[in-house]
Amino acid sequence: MNVSDVRPLIGITTYYQHATWGVWNGEAAILPGNYLHAVVDAGGIPVLLPPRGTGTKVLDTLDGLLVIGGSDVDPSRYGENAHPTTEFDTERDSHDFALLGAAEALGLPILCVCRGAQVLNVAHGGSLLQHLPDVLPEGERYRCAPGVFSDTRITIDPESLAHSILGDSCTVSSYHHQGLDRIGKGLMVTARSADGLPQILESTDDSWLIATQYHPEEKRLEDRRLFAAFVAACGSRTEAVSDTKPTPSEEITE
């Protein structure tokens, strides 16, 4: 098979919660469709990773990891008691933290979205602002109504990976009530909104790692460029790994 015909395998974390399908309703592993479409449209093959039966060995077969949005992170992970508005799922936390740590150790390209950015920051020893309306004059604008995304203008560091993809600034889709506070070791803020809130994190080394506080899977052309770059990075890794494998004529048999 020609290596150029091989699409990269992208692991995607999911929810596990009550859902309805057909005539049925019950507990299910679910993924909002926009994440799926964003990965497929960019040329990736999605591999869903539900927060049950977690095993990091699956990452050995994947080319990248997408950590999606969702509920809050358990604040005990960064040494705080829960705010009245904080809602978390410890089993999903364990799942996401395990996969993220293993993916970083393997050097996989990683894209983290909203909750995913918060998981990344806490995993690196950082902390979170548990309820933005308590600390920002217009903090409620980031989650203005149930199921309604708000527009946020962000400015991007010109020396960053994000800048090479998105340029100086862009308008993004926000839906979150928490934010990044103390930034974890080995991470740096490369984009902020006008109120100073961190909107993008990247690695301080040369890893392909981008974490957005906002939702790039929503239908904005400038946001979808981020998925295109992520899947391309995963594809480059696929080709690099394939190039190191011996062809059938090079294999040694006993």
Side-chain angles (χ1 to χ4, degrees), residues 6-251:
V6 178
R7 290 180 290 161
L9 297 172
I10 313 297
I12 311 176
T13 62
T14 76
Y15 294 75
Y16 185 81
Q17 63 183 58
H18 193 86
T20 300
W21 63 100
V23 299
W24 308 102
N25 64 81
E27 297 299 300
I30 62 173
L31 174 71
N34 279 348
Y35 291 107
L36 189 68
H37 293 307
V39 168
V40 172
D41 291 348
I45 299 175
V47 179
L48 274 56
L49 304 173
R52 296 295 186 273
T54 303
T56 59
K57 187 173 177 59
V58 66
L59 295 172
D60 294 339
T61 66
L62 301 180
D63 303 303
L65 178 67
L66 168 59
V67 184
I68 71 165
S71 59
D72 303 322
V73 175
D74 181 355
S76 69
R77 285 183 175 266
Y78 49 95
E80 294 185 12
N81 295 321
H83 186 278
T85 63
T86 298
E87 299 180 355
F88 55 89
D89 177 345
T90 56
E91 195 159 6
R92 186 172 176 193
D93 282 352
S94 297
H95 176 75
D96 288 2
F97 277 84
L99 290 176
L100 178 59
E104 287 190 273
L106 288 170
L108 296 180
I110 300 170
L111 177 61
C112 299
V113 173
C114 200
R115 164 193 160 82
Q118 296 168 1
V119 168
L120 174 70
N121 193 46
V122 173
H124 281 252
S127 63
L128 306 177
L129 300 168
Q130 289 195 53
H131 194 53
L132 293 177
D134 290 351
V135 295
L136 293 176
E138 297 183 0
E140 71 281 350
R141 68 170 300 279
Y142 288 106
R143 192 171 68 177
C144 56
V148 177
F149 289 93
S150 60
D151 289 345
T152 301
R153 192 73 181 170
I154 65 171
T155 302
I156 305 168
D157 185 338
E159 302 301 319
S160 66
L161 175 60
H163 187 275
S164 70
I165 302 166
L166 300 172
D168 293 333
S169 64
C170 60
T171 299
V172 300
S173 299
S174 298
Y175 190 79
H176 58 97
H177 80 109
Q178 298 195 338
L180 305 172
D181 190 12
R182 184 181 69 253
I183 303 304
K185 184 178 180 180
L187 302 175
M188 59 184 177
V189 177
T190 60
R192 294 181 185 271
S193 43
D195 55 13
L197 194 68
Q199 296 291 339
I200 296 179
L201 290 180
E202 296 182 24
S203 175
T204 56
D205 62 24
D206 60 357
S207 303
W208 204 105
L209 171 63
I210 291 182
T212 67
Q213 181 58 85
Y214 61 92
H215 284 266
E217 78 281 5
E218 289 306 301
K219 295 186 181 299
R220 292 181 180 278
L221 291 178
E222 55 265 56
D223 282 347
R224 289 300 177 92
R225 293 183 310 205
L226 194 55
F227 278 92
F230 168 57
V231 173
C234 296
S236 295
R237 184 181 185 280
T238 305
E239 294 180 7
V241 171
S242 297
D243 287 344
T244 65
K245 293 180 179 179
T247 63
S249 61
E250 294 173 331
E251 292 178 351

